[in-house]
Amino acid sequence: MPSYAVVVDVMLKPEILDPAGQAVLNALPSLGLPPVTTLRIGKHVELSVEAADEPAALEQATKMAEVLLANPVIEDFRVRLG
Amino acid sequence: MPSYAVVVDVMLKPEILDPAGQAVLNALPSLGLPPVTTLRIGKHVELSVEAADEPAALEQATKMAEVLLANPVIEDFRVRLG
């Protein structure tokens, strides 16, 4: 079966606080960097999936994201071909 | 100035071990999920930058990534409009 590169981006839901992102945002002025309006940090997962075709590869990655990569209570995820 | 959505993806360099990714990869069979060939986990940063134009927004995000978001010794990063 062919191998497909798939990317899963996992982000905290907008209503969930992101202390790591807030810390980076607050650190900008003291590093002499210009401010940004918003900044949120999530996970970026790159994987190679062996599947029959592209839809099958995306479906497999979506299943993985639902079960293992994202916490559906506090996180959203997006799956795309890499 | 207009606001631009910018995405910075930070990944460990290919030659650096990724224990978190390896742990996820090893967990797949016991969760009844099909195996994947490779899996690596990085950071996905979404930010809003106020800048004069798109190249200026990307340049500002690149500067941030170099100074603050990525560790250039062990990580690579990619910057793109979101």
Side-chain angles (χ1 to χ4, degrees), chain A residues 12 16-27 39-42, chain B residues 43 45 68-69:
Chain A
L12 287 166
I16 306 287
L17 287 178
D18 171 19
Q22 202 60 42
V24 168
L25 202 146
N26 294 341
L39 189 153
R40 291 178 72 82
I41 302 181
Chain B
K43 279 179 289 188
V45 185
L68 188 57
L69 299 176

Side-chain angles (χ1 to χ4, degrees), chain A residues 2 4 12 15-16 34 37-39 41 48 53-55 60 62 68 77 80-81:
Chain A
Y4 295 95
L12 287 166
E15 64 270 27
I16 306 287
T37 321
T38 63
L39 189 153
I41 302 181
S48 301
D53 50 22
E54 287 182 2
Q60 185 179 332
T62 302
L68 188 57
F77 65 87
R80 62 183 164 84
L81 289 169

Side-chain angles (χ1 to χ4, degrees), chain B residues 8-42:
Chain B
V8 182
D9 289 322
V10 182
M11 294 298 288
L12 287 166
K13 293 186 187 217
E15 64 270 27
I16 307 287
L17 287 177
D18 171 19
Q22 201 61 43
V24 169
L25 201 146
N26 294 341
L28 294 174
S30 61
L31 289 166
L33 293 166
V36 299
T37 321
T38 63
L39 189 152
R40 292 178 70 84
I41 302 181

